[in-house]
Amino acid sequence: MGNVLHLLVDTSTWLDLSKRRDGQRWIVALRLLVHQRDVELLVPELVIEEFERNRERIEASMTASVAQRFKLIKQDLEDYGGTDVENAVEVIADLARDVPLIGAMTTRNFDEVLELLRTGRRVEATDAEHRGVVERGLRKRAPLHRSRNSVADALLIELYATAARASDLSRNPHAFVTSNSADFSTEDGDKRQPHPDVSATFASEGSTYALGVDGLNDVLLSHFGSEIKELFAETDFIEEPRRLGEILEAEKMLFDRVWHHRSLQHEYQLRAAGDEGELERLEAIAGPARKRVEETYTQPGELGPYTDFELGMLNGKLSALRWVLGSEWDFLDT
């Protein structure tokens, strides 16, 4: 591959990206660039292992933190909000009921990042990289300059250095992206600059040190220019999960419309059969509910007549929302 941007992204940055509500901006862009062979992800096995190992903990903490924030806000409103906060308290309580759904939506980023990692090019450590790690440890050179176990980080930078040395950086630029400034960045000064112990790896033009998601963004902008700006514009969206109240309201609307259609169909069948007794019984039972529905849904076409396609869409939507609310698929009883 020629003129391809090669990225080795540390686990710390992948996790930061996954936690962001706007993470899709970069995830979607990277997926497309990888598909087009404009970007190649260099993925050591240890990055995938660390990502999977930390994922469950971070997802749980994200959901717990959202629930805790709602709880504290509700308590503050009750304690200090005065006499006119009943509606606000109810809104917060309603939002709190949506926490499981919000938590589930946030996990999408983690799933898609893991898919990106698994489709990247695996880079495996050789004896040379392992010797490099040992040498760093003996000399206490970053990222082994602190009193902590940073062997995995040392192996990452050795793998990146090997990949960069083996490439024509003028045609295939490389970038190392990490959020771990304590291990990789300069100790005094601009944290966006590499530590002196690793700076030689980034001395050549075409080899870039980048800090965090913002650094990844800068690398993509620098390499792709207006192309990536257009791609970001197309993918710059945040999908908010529907609240439980919205789902229940939509399910009720679909139920009413499907039930009304079935009620009319039943009436037509009884009239065609001349069953006056059953027709009278139907009118007594369904009449008041049908009147309510007809007074509620007054826009043209809301209560039919439906084409087969429109009726299928109504039933499909009702089935889908009921599934979200806990029913089995294709449960369409009215």
Side-chain angles (χ1 to χ4, degrees):
M1 294 186 293
N3 197 25
V4 176
L5 175 62
H6 300 262
L7 297 174
L8 198 162
V9 183
D10 190 1
T11 312
S12 57
T13 301
W14 287 123
L15 291 171
D16 286 346
L17 182 59
S18 300
K19 290 185 291 185
R20 291 180 62 140
R21 291 176 64 250
D22 60 349
Q24 286 288 302
R25 168 186 172 93
W26 294 277
I27 294 170
V28 174
L30 283 172
R31 184 166 60 234
L32 181 59
L33 292 169
V34 168
H35 177 73
Q36 294 175 170
R37 294 181 174 269
D38 292 321
V39 165
E40 181 179 63
L41 298 177
L42 307 178
V43 186
E45 185 66 32
L46 64 92
V47 168
I48 296 179
E49 292 174 354
E50 288 182 344
F51 186 84
E52 291 182 311
R53 186 167 60 248
N54 286 279
R55 170 181 176 164
E56 184 175 348
R57 172 183 58 81
I58 292 177
E59 285 180 344
S61 69
M62 289 170 66
T63 303
S65 66
V66 172
Q68 183 63 19
R69 284 200 298 272
F70 284 143
K71 181 179 179 180
L72 292 174
I73 292 171
K74 181 175 180 291
Q75 188 63 52
D76 286 344
L77 285 171
E78 292 173 344
D79 291 344
Y80 309 113
T83 59
D84 300 322
V85 297
E86 289 186 7
N87 184 60
V89 170
E90 180 56 33
V91 169
I92 294 299
D94 186 31
L95 285 170
R97 288 193 289 270
D98 295 331
V99 167
L101 180 59
I102 294 171
M105 289 294 290
T106 62
T107 64
R108 180 181 63 172
N109 284 354
F110 287 87
D111 290 335
E112 295 185 4
V113 164
L114 187 57
E115 182 181 350
L116 275 173
L117 291 173
R118 287 175 173 166
T119 57
R121 178 163 71 87
R122 297 296 176 87
V123 289
E124 298 182 0
T126 66
D127 290 343
E129 284 79 46
H130 287 299
R131 286 196 299 270
V133 171
V134 172
E135 185 69 17
R136 287 183 182 276
L138 292 174
R139 297 191 179 189
K140 295 192 178 298
R141 300 177 65 216
L144 297 174
H145 59 304
R146 302 193 300 145
S147 299
R148 61 187 297 273
N149 183 3
S150 298
V151 170
D153 295 315
L155 188 56
L156 279 185
I157 197 63
E158 292 293 335
L159 286 168
Y160 173 80
T162 296
R165 283 195 302 267
S167 298
D168 179 356
L169 296 176
S170 64
R171 288 173 47 82
N172 293 293
H174 282 55
F176 178 78
V177 187
T178 182
S179 298
N180 186 1
S181 60
D183 280 344
F184 291 110
S185 294
T186 183
E187 294 178 284
D188 300 313
D190 189 348
K191 295 299 181 183
R192 292 172 298 178
Q193 299 301 316
H195 191 282
D197 290 347
V198 300
S199 60
T201 302
F202 306 101
S204 300
E205 185 174 354
S207 179
T208 303
Y209 177 80
L211 185 62
V213 177
D214 289 341
L216 173 63
N217 187 73
D218 291 341
V219 168
L220 293 173
L221 286 172
S222 176
H223 185 76
F224 294 105
S226 59
E227 178 186 347
I228 195 68
K229 289 181 181 179
E230 293 175 3
L231 186 54
F232 281 156
E234 294 172 1
T235 60
D236 190 14
F237 61 89
I238 300 174
E239 289 185 346
E240 297 287 354
R242 302 289 183 188
R243 292 172 54 191
L244 178 61
E246 291 181 89
I247 296 173
L248 290 171
E249 183 179 349
E251 190 271 343
K252 180 179 182 302
M253 178 270 291
L254 292 165
F255 174 91
D256 285 347
R257 293 174 65 186
V258 170
W259 173 85
H260 184 270
H261 173 79
R262 292 179 180 177
S263 175
L264 289 178
Q265 290 296 105
H266 192 193
E267 179 182 327
Y268 297 153
Q269 292 167 2
L270 292 175
R271 289 189 185 281
D275 192 338
E276 295 296 330
E278 189 63 24
L279 183 61
E280 184 176 342
R281 179 173 175 274
L282 173 66
E283 291 176 345
I285 296 174
R290 190 187 295 173
K291 183 174 184 294
R292 174 189 64 79
V293 171
E294 291 169 351
E295 290 175 348
T296 301
Y297 306 97
T298 59
Q299 296 300 313
E302 277 193 301
L303 295 179
Y306 305 117
T307 66
D308 289 344
F309 175 80
E310 290 169 336
L311 193 60
M313 287 292 291
L314 286 175
N315 281 277
K317 290 177 180 179
L318 179 60
S319 173
L321 291 187
R322 283 185 165 179
W323 181 81
V324 169
L325 293 169
S327 298
E328 296 300 319
W329 278 118
D330 302 323
F331 176 68
L332 290 168
D333 289 0
T334 56

